[in-house]
Amino acid sequence: MTIRKIYSLSLILSLLSIFAFNVFAQAPADVVKYTITGKVIDNELEVPLEYATISVQDVNGPSNINGGVTNANGEFSVEVEEGTYNILVEFISYETKEFNSRQINKDLNLGTIKLGLGSENLDEVVVRAETTQVDIRLDKKIYNIGKDLTTAGGTVSDALNNVPSISVDIEGGISLRGNENVRILINGKPSAMAGFGNTDVLSQLPAEAIERVEVITSPSARYDAEGTAGIINIILRKKETLGFNGSVTVNGGIPENASISTNLNYRTDKYNLFTTTGYRYSESPGYAFFDTRYFDPRADVLLDSISYDRNIEDRDYDRINRGFNTNVGMEYYLSDMSSITGAIFYRLGDDRDVTNNLNDYLLGNTELLGTNRMEVENEEDQSYQLSLNYIKKFDNKGHQLTADFQFENDSETQDAFIEEITTYNNTDNNDIDIPSESTITKEDQKEYLIQADYVLPIGEESQFEAGYRGNFENEVTDYKLFQQNDQDEFVINESQTNIFDYSENVQALYTQYGTKFGDFSFLLGLRLENTNLKGKIDSELTEAELQEEFSFPIDTDFDNNYLGLFPTVNLIYELGEDENITLGYNRRINRPRGWYINPFPSRSSRNNIFQGNPNLNPAFSNAFDLGYLKKWEKLTFTSSVYYQRETDAFQRVQEEVFISGPSGQQIEVIRSIPFNLATNDRMGGEVGFLYNPADWLRLNGSVNMFRFKLDGEFNGTDYSQDNSSWFGRFSSKVTLPLKIDWQTNLFYRGPSEEIQGTQEGILNVDLAFSKEILNEKATLSLNVRDIFNGRKRTSFTTTEFFEQDSEFQWRQGQSVNVSFIYRFNQQKQRQNRRENGNEDFDEGEF
């Protein structure tokens, strides 16, 4: 493959009509020509728009088209013969400016032409496009994170943790306004890049791949109804430049991590080739601590039935993650009004985790026995996604049809060996021999997506939409547990070995209508969605033995259908040029994922396990959101209050149960298991600001306070609770001498009451420094994350059987990272308001 072909693999969207405007005939030398000139700028930012398209069409000859594009200063010059012409000025995502029936018999200067952001889709219209940090739309807020220094060299998860309303916990779990029931989309669709509902993949993809993040707290009917908290839509970076261009990013840091990624793009008048490719290596040490005090002494048959009332676990994790990912595709322009795009995403993971779990068993204050449980786990993961998109525009006013097909496949194999030895023994029995274990887990997931959307503008201010989406997913988990017997042979534990086959099929039809009159806009939608959840447990145990093993009645072969209507209402009223009020209502669903349903327990600890619940039903919610935005010259203020009532909400509880050992012994463990509560009422409010008092200083922050009331019971225990908590973030960016940027990010999550205890607050502070070098073609960044080592979860749990203090830290200690980004054949996209179109649109927060 030639270097030219390699370079042809590139990133991003296109200027759909540009190819038609570069072709014009060579005129005879004696024909007099005149020049049309002008300058194109953004109407709000007043910055030049490079590569804006100028097309000049003879009104007497539709096929006679001439044209060109603007230079870096936004200027253009087009030569034409004498005649009458229609002149169009276009730039992607902006409204088209037309100069019709212009008589050209001398040179014509059109002067400065100002373009505003387009209104191709009504709910995509910026009702008040912020020139600071956030765009407010009918159903979402859009944050540009392209220049957040603290995410340089980081991952998508790191970037999300700096977006208002979003928090990422120490295990990588993502919450929206404190609610974990959130739907993650990539470019508006479910994707293998989002990990089939598992957010682990987001901790491997580079943050540099993101252009912006859409926080959709009141989704319109166009979106899947999944996610009671709302939707986080991650838009990957896109270039809008002709020719070959791209960037290369190299990162390295401590704890040991290194990565390299490229974003390449090659665009001609007929096609656009793009790729994002990268490799990442990281070591991530962590730890966990559990101090469990039992109210009554207990005995463990694997420990020779010694009697103890306290168990202290001290775990150390040593994780190595290696991952390669690439996204390669091509957009081909069938005509100036239609295009087809095909892309392939591929990811390969090779991870190794080593866990040392030191256990102390005590009776009163007397140490009886110490053990070290060592687990070595290897994981190989391979996933790919094939996608095809077709778009047909019927005019330049938003009338269009789009169709999508997507297929995803993920294959994952885990093998683990677990060995536990005694470190000290103060009991009468000196011959305690704890059997070793070995597990093999294979997961195969497949998902098909078929989608079609039709958009019809009605007049200048109204729009109708309708569409279909079918999402068909199947996951098969094959789990085998081998345990050492008295003859030191590894035999299969039939009570824990199983195959779990789970399918989730969702089909939906939607329609919505929106309009704007005066200062008032609304978008009304209705989505009809059918959910089919099927699961089957294949085990050596009989039905009766399965019921006994899980200690609660379960359905081992289920096929459930849920048909529902999901209405949405989104309203905006503009109080003034820089002030508006938004109101949204939507009904949502939260479907249980496979690992929440799989009833066979995890083996990360012999004393503390997680077990799924196949009896889980989907949760439904009704949510209301009222927002307010006010903008001054140097200050932007946003706020909202929200309320949500969720029925059959998921919640995890801990309880004591017995599971089968290697020789059929019953071993008592603490089990964490999800279940459906009756209701969960959640209410809260958030405020945010961006303040730019000087060119060298930018300040922004946000605070989210929420309260939730749980009402429900499980296994005869009442878990009703009334709780409140909050989280806030603050960021400052200072331009130092020598044009060095210094950014500080602070995040704090307040303490909270849990259904079985309490959780302490979490503090995280990051620092970053950045400098443009090599004539601003490259950026060198240094960042330090978690400088106070505060990203740890400290909890206290109490039940009728025990109380427990615990502490967990996914990534232990501070991390230091150096990042180098080199850009070639591209500027820093100052002209693009969606990229870095203004000096205030920087930090990725408001």
Side-chain angles (χ1 to χ4, degrees):
M1 181 177 289
T2 65
I3 296 297
R4 177 76 174 185
K5 291 182 179 178
I6 294 175
Y7 282 173
S8 294
L9 303 176
S10 54
L11 173 63
I12 266 145
L13 241 148
S14 42
L15 314 162
L16 260 175
S17 47
I18 197 166
F19 70 94
F21 306 139
N22 288 327
V23 182
F24 51 95
Q26 179 69 38
D30 56 349
V31 175
V32 178
K33 289 189 174 183
Y34 301 101
T35 303
I36 303 174
T37 57
K39 182 176 182 180
V40 183
I41 67 172
D42 182 293
N43 72 332
E44 291 188 1
L45 311 179
E46 297 190 351
V47 295
L49 295 178
E50 184 181 6
Y51 292 108
T53 302
I54 315 300
S55 61
V56 182
Q57 181 175 350
D58 191 331
V59 296
N60 298 317
S63 62
N64 187 9
I65 300 177
N66 197 351
V69 295
T70 56
N71 61 20
N73 297 319
E75 299 167 345
F76 65 89
S77 176
V78 179
E79 288 188 344
V80 297
E81 300 175 12
E82 182 177 352
T84 304
Y85 297 90
N86 293 329
I87 305 170
L88 276 73
V89 181
E90 299 176 289
F91 191 71
I92 191 166
S93 300
Y94 285 71
E95 293 178 339
T96 298
K97 184 79 72 172
E98 299 183 17
F99 302 88
N100 293 324
S101 301
R102 289 297 180 101
Q103 180 68 38
I104 306 296
N105 52 22
K106 62 180 180 179
D107 291 343
L108 173 64
N109 186 353
L110 294 176
T112 300
I113 303 169
K114 297 182 178 182
L115 300 185
L117 194 64
S119 55
E120 186 173 282
N121 296 316
L122 185 66
D123 71 327
E124 292 292 326
V125 175
V126 178
V127 177
R128 178 50 51 201
E130 287 296 282
T131 58
T132 54
Q133 200 58 50
V134 57
D135 286 349
I136 303 295
R137 311 255 176 122
L138 269 169
D139 62 345
K140 71 187 75 171
K141 294 177 183 177
I142 299 178
Y143 302 95
N144 184 298
I145 64 174
K147 293 180 66 177
D148 188 340
L149 305 184
T150 61
T151 67
T155 66
V156 170
S157 290
D158 296 324
L160 291 178
N161 207 35
N162 287 340
V163 175
S165 303
I166 300 175
S167 59
V168 182
D169 65 25
I170 55 178
E171 295 175 286
I174 299 173
S175 301
L176 181 58
R177 291 173 168 174
N179 189 342
E180 294 181 353
N181 300 330
V182 60
R183 178 70 158 167
I184 308 294
L185 301 178
I186 303 292
N187 294 333
K189 305 179 185 67
S191 173
M193 285 180 271
F196 293 94
N198 185 334
T199 58
D200 290 347
V201 179
L202 301 182
S203 298
Q204 301 177 26
L205 296 176
E208 290 83 3
I210 301 178
E211 176 184 331
R212 64 185 187 273
V213 175
E214 299 179 347
V215 178
I216 309 173
T217 54
S218 183
S220 69
R222 177 192 303 162
Y223 295 100
D224 185 2
E226 169 75 18
T228 56
I231 294 172
I232 298 173
N233 187 22
I234 301 170
I235 305 298
L236 299 183
R237 195 173 290 277
K238 300 174 180 178
K239 305 301 177 196
E240 297 166 355
T241 308
L242 284 173
F244 173 66
N245 62 88
S247 64
V248 177
T249 303
V250 180
N251 300 292
I254 303 173
E256 285 78 2
N257 78 88
S259 67
I260 182 170
S261 62
T262 61
N263 292 283
L264 304 176
N265 187 87
Y266 182 71
R267 180 179 176 80
T268 72
D269 59 350
K270 289 297 293 182
Y271 61 85
N272 182 38
L273 294 168
F274 55 89
T275 183
T276 300
T277 301
Y279 176 82
R280 185 177 187 86
Y281 172 91
S282 66
E283 297 184 13
S284 181
Y287 85 97
F289 175 82
F290 302 88
D291 185 354
T292 308
R293 281 117 24 216
Y294 303 95
F295 299 139
D296 296 314
R298 54 184 288 170
D300 191 331
V301 295
L302 297 182
L303 302 178
D304 200 34
S305 297
I306 64 171
S307 180
Y308 64 93
D309 60 7
R310 187 179 182 186
N311 170 229
I312 300 175
E313 294 186 55
D314 195 347
R315 302 181 197 171
D316 284 316
Y317 302 96
D318 187 7
R319 305 183 186 89
I320 297 177
N321 303 105
R322 295 172 287 252
F324 169 81
N325 64 83
T326 184
N327 185 43
V328 180
M330 181 179 76
E331 181 175 14
Y332 183 76
Y333 311 115
L334 302 172
S335 70
D336 59 347
M337 302 297 284
S338 64
S339 68
I340 186 168
T341 303
I344 300 175
F345 171 78
Y346 176 78
R347 182 174 66 89
L348 183 65
D350 183 11
D351 303 336
R352 180 180 174 88
D353 295 349
V354 178
T355 303
N356 283 298
N357 188 357
L358 295 174
N359 284 269
D360 293 290
Y361 299 90
L362 299 85
L363 183 63
N365 294 321
T366 303
E367 294 182 341
L368 301 177
L369 183 70
T371 69
N372 183 11
R373 178 183 171 92
M374 294 167 289
E375 178 178 2
V376 179
E377 180 181 84
N378 298 293
E379 178 180 326
E380 293 184 355
D381 186 11
Q382 180 176 263
S383 62
Y384 63 88
Q385 171 184 295
L386 308 175
S387 62
L388 193 65
N389 168 266
Y390 171 76
I391 180 170
K392 169 63 178 177
K393 293 187 176 184
F394 301 99
D395 55 33
N396 289 318
K397 299 181 180 180
H399 185 197
Q400 67 178 36
L401 172 69
T402 60
D404 292 274
F405 172 78
Q406 193 167 279
F407 170 72
E408 304 170 9
N409 183 86
D410 182 79
S411 298
E412 181 179 302
T413 301
Q414 296 178 347
D415 63 83
F417 181 78
I418 305 168
E419 181 182 19
E420 191 166 4
I421 61 174
T422 57
T423 55
Y424 68 86
N425 188 351
N426 297 326
T427 68
D428 295 333
N429 187 348
N430 294 320
D431 299 323
I432 296 177
D433 187 13
I434 304 171
S436 299
E437 297 179 348
S438 176
T439 66
I440 299 176
T441 306
K442 295 182 178 180
E443 294 183 1
D444 289 304
Q445 303 178 70
K446 291 180 173 61
E447 185 170 351
Y448 295 87
L449 171 70
I450 303 172
Q451 181 175 337
D453 299 280
Y454 176 71
V455 180
L456 175 65
I458 303 174
E460 295 294 328
E461 303 289 352
S462 301
Q463 183 169 285
F464 168 80
E465 291 186 48
Y468 163 82
R469 173 183 282 189
N471 209 81
F472 310 94
E473 180 180 355
N474 175 255
E475 176 182 349
V476 178
T477 304
D478 186 349
Y479 176 80
K480 291 182 174 65
L481 171 64
F482 300 89
Q483 294 177 308
Q484 191 177 26
N485 62 15
D486 295 337
Q487 289 76 42
D488 291 334
E489 299 172 334
F490 281 86
V491 296
I492 195 166
N493 184 328
E494 294 182 351
S495 66
Q496 302 295 324
T497 295
N498 68 94
I499 298 176
F500 184 56
D501 191 333
Y502 176 70
S503 296
E504 178 183 296
N505 301 320
V506 181
Q507 297 192 71
L509 294 169
Y510 81 89
T511 183
Q512 60 185 23
Y513 174 78
T515 190
K516 180 178 182 180
F517 46 92
D519 296 327
F520 181 76
S521 304
F522 71 80
L523 182 65
L524 307 178
L526 184 64
R527 188 178 187 89
L528 174 66
E529 204 166 80
N530 180 76
T531 299
N532 174 234
L533 304 180
K534 297 191 294 185
K536 183 177 181 180
I537 300 172
D538 185 359
S539 171
E540 294 294 328
L541 300 182
T542 65
E543 182 78 16
E545 289 172 330
L546 279 171
Q547 301 292 345
E548 181 179 356
E549 179 68 27
F550 299 133
S551 72
F552 61 93
I554 65 170
D555 189 350
T556 59
D557 188 357
F558 58 87
D559 187 349
N560 301 323
N561 281 277
Y562 305 89
L563 182 66
L565 286 172
F566 299 90
T568 62
V569 179
N570 290 291
L571 313 172
I572 288 185
Y573 181 70
E574 295 192 58
L575 300 172
E577 182 178 355
D578 298 308
E579 186 177 18
N580 65 55
I581 295 176
T582 60
L583 176 64
Y585 161 77
N586 64 88
R587 184 172 186 258
R588 310 288 293 164
I589 184 175
N590 183 29
R591 308 179 188 96
R593 305 300 297 181
W595 73 286
Y596 249 46
I597 292 180
N598 193 337
F600 291 89
S602 66
R603 306 297 296 178
S604 60
S605 168
R606 186 160 48 77
N607 301 309
N608 296 273
I609 67 171
F610 174 83
Q611 185 175 6
N613 180 1
N615 296 337
L616 278 182
N617 294 317
F620 294 87
S621 72
N622 290 277
F624 300 84
D625 188 291
L626 178 64
Y628 172 75
L629 168 74
K630 174 65 176 177
K631 175 186 167 187
W632 293 270
E633 181 180 356
K634 297 183 178 182
L635 174 67
T636 299
F637 173 80
T638 64
S639 64
S640 65
V641 293
Y642 52 89
Y643 170 77
Q644 179 190 81
R645 183 175 181 84
E646 185 176 5
T647 58
D648 282 335
F650 305 160
Q651 192 67 37
R652 290 167 61 170
V653 299
Q654 290 182 306
E655 56 184 5
E656 281 193 330
V657 298
F658 288 89
I659 64 173
S660 297
S663 301
Q665 314 100 316
Q666 291 297 296
I667 303 173
E668 192 172 11
V669 298
I670 297 173
R671 175 179 68 182
S672 177
I673 186 171
F675 66 95
N676 290 106
L677 280 171
T679 59
N680 181 3
D681 291 294
R682 180 180 293 266
M683 61 202 74
E686 57 183 344
V687 295
F689 74 92
L690 175 86
Y691 181 47
N692 297 340
D695 292 339
W696 55 270
L697 177 62
R698 302 174 184 88
L699 306 173
N700 63 78
S702 63
V703 176
N704 191 306
M705 303 186 67
F706 55 91
R707 175 174 177 260
F708 60 88
K709 181 179 180 182
L710 305 176
D711 182 14
E713 63 90 22
F714 178 68
N715 278 354
T717 302
D718 186 6
Y719 291 103
S720 299
Q721 178 195 11
D722 196 343
N723 183 26
S724 61
S725 187
W726 67 281
F727 64 87
R729 50 172 42 90
F730 174 79
S731 178
S732 66
K733 188 173 182 181
V734 179
T735 301
L736 302 173
L738 303 178
K739 295 184 178 180
I740 297 174
D741 289 331
W742 166 26
Q743 184 172 326
T744 303
N745 279 8
L746 182 150
F747 173 85
Y748 180 75
R749 184 183 180 93
S752 62
E753 297 284 339
E754 307 298 323
I755 65 172
Q756 291 180 298
T758 61
Q759 183 169 302
E760 296 184 9
I762 297 175
L763 173 67
N764 182 65
V765 180
D766 300 332
L767 293 178
F769 299 88
S770 176
K771 168 69 176 174
E772 299 295 322
I773 59 177
L774 303 179
N775 294 324
E776 297 194 347
K777 291 182 178 180
T779 304
L780 183 65
S781 301
L782 168 70
N783 64 63
V784 183
R785 298 193 183 98
D786 196 13
I787 62 174
F788 296 119
N789 194 26
R791 285 206 70 188
K792 58 183 70 174
R793 184 183 64 218
T794 304
S795 305
F796 173 74
T797 302
T798 180
T799 72
E800 59 178 313
F801 303 106
F802 65 89
E803 64 179 16
Q804 182 185 82
D805 289 296
S806 65
E807 189 170 274
F808 179 80
Q809 191 169 27
W810 182 258
R811 186 172 58 191
Q812 187 174 358
Q814 301 86 354
S815 64
V816 180
N817 197 80
V818 177
S819 173
F820 175 77
I821 303 175
Y822 181 76
R823 299 172 292 272
F824 50 90
N825 295 341
Q826 60 170 288
Q827 296 182 349
K828 293 170 62 182
Q829 300 287 346
R830 289 191 181 91
Q831 77 275 6
N832 187 349
R833 94 168 61 208
R834 288 179 182 260
E835 182 80 15
N836 294 322
N838 58 78
E839 296 303 317
D840 296 329
F841 209 83
D842 289 331
E843 290 84 0
E845 306 178 27
F846 57 91

